[in-house]
């Protein structure tokens, strides 16, 4: 899976949950550790602290595929 597509899917997945409302937020850094094959099941873990940056990790089973953080404005949960 191309890195740009994976990053787009990360942002879309987070926005789709509705649990973490994102407004004008973007990925400010990302690191890729291994490739993801087409159709491979990936798990996204988002870590939210009281202050930015909000960070993410993508795993394929126990293998770390990518990690990174966001910049911008993350709205508080209602």
């Amino acid at each position: 899976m191309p890195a740009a597509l994976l990053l787009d899917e990360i942002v879309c997945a987070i926005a789709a949950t509705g649990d973490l409302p994102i407004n004008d937020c973007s990925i400010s850094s990302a690191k890729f550790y291994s490739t993801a094959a087409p159709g491979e099941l990936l798990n996204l873990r988002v870590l939210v602290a009281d202050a930015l940056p909000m960070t993410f990790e993508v795993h394929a089973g126990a293998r770390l595929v990518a990690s990174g953080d966001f910049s911008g404005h993350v709205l508080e949960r209602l």
Side-chain angles (χ1 to χ4, degrees), residues 14-40:
I14 292 170
T17 66
D19 291 337
L20 298 170
I22 298 174
N23 184 27
D24 297 327
C25 190
S26 62
I27 295 174
S28 59
S29 69
K31 182 164 180 156
F32 298 90
Y33 300 94
S34 64
T35 59
E40 186 172 20

Side-chain angles (χ1 to χ4, degrees), residues 1-4 6-7 10 30-38 40-43 56-67:
M1 173 180 286
L6 181 59
L7 293 176
I10 290 167
K31 182 164 180 156
F32 298 90
Y33 300 94
S34 64
T35 59
E40 186 172 20
L41 180 63
L42 301 175
N43 294 302
F56 68 88
E57 293 180 347
V58 178
H59 293 265
R63 178 173 47 92
L64 180 60
V65 173
S67 67

